[in-house]
Amino acid sequence: MVIAGVLLFIYPATSLTAAVRLLGFAIVLYGAIGLVANLTQKKENRSSLSLAYFAVFALAGIIIIANPGFIISMFPIIAGVLVAVNGIESLIRTLKLKKRNHDRWLLMLILAVITIAFGILTFVNPFATQALLVRVFACGLIYDGVVKLFLSIL
């Protein structure tokens, strides 16, 4: 985990491309195994729907391997939408807290607005935030690896 985190942090674009291609390879493998398993069955046990299902997986994997940039470019856009929606949900909860006269509703409101703003920024300018998101994820991997290493020593 530590090595993966360090590589992601130092080489975010290259590491992400390699990870997406690896995912594409796994999808191709899943589709190919499913196709072979289906085609080796007796003709009366074969399913046209299953054949199509596994063929779509294999084709999707090939497309991902050939064009990882498209998949990578979608990550920050999806993340931005999810963060903004989470911020809106926090805002709604904060307004409920205000109605109940909760003493920390203002702090919650500020955090909700910051979350919404970050989500919108990520969605509007995904390419600028992509390297940052990868590096934050890398820091999480490094932290997780160091903690696990430390705990295994104890």
Side-chain angles (χ1 to χ4, degrees), residues 54-112:
F54 290 116
V56 167
F57 263 92
L59 181 61
I62 291 168
I63 291 169
I64 289 170
I65 292 169
N67 191 13
F70 174 73
I71 301 301
I72 292 168
S73 70
M74 296 306 292
F75 286 161
I77 294 169
I78 293 168
V81 169
L82 292 175
V83 169
V85 167
N86 185 37
I88 292 167
E89 187 178 65
S90 294
L91 179 63
I92 292 167
R93 279 182 289 182
T94 300
L95 295 175
K96 288 179 182 178
L97 289 176
K98 183 181 187 272
K99 285 182 182 178
R100 294 185 198 146
N101 294 322
H102 193 277
D103 57 340
R104 302 229 174 148
W105 74 269
L106 186 59
L107 174 63
M108 300 290 283
L109 177 67
I110 292 168
L111 293 174

Side-chain angles (χ1 to χ4, degrees), residues 4-5 16 23 25-26 33 37 48 50 55 58 69 71 77 87 93 97-99 103 109 116 120 122 125 132 134 143:
L16 201 52
L23 174 68
F25 178 75
I33 290 170
S48 298
S50 290
I71 301 301
I77 294 169
R93 279 182 289 182
L97 289 176
K98 183 181 187 272
K99 285 182 182 178
D103 57 340
L109 177 67
I116 294 168
I120 291 170
T122 303
N125 195 0
L132 175 65
V134 171
Y143 171 78

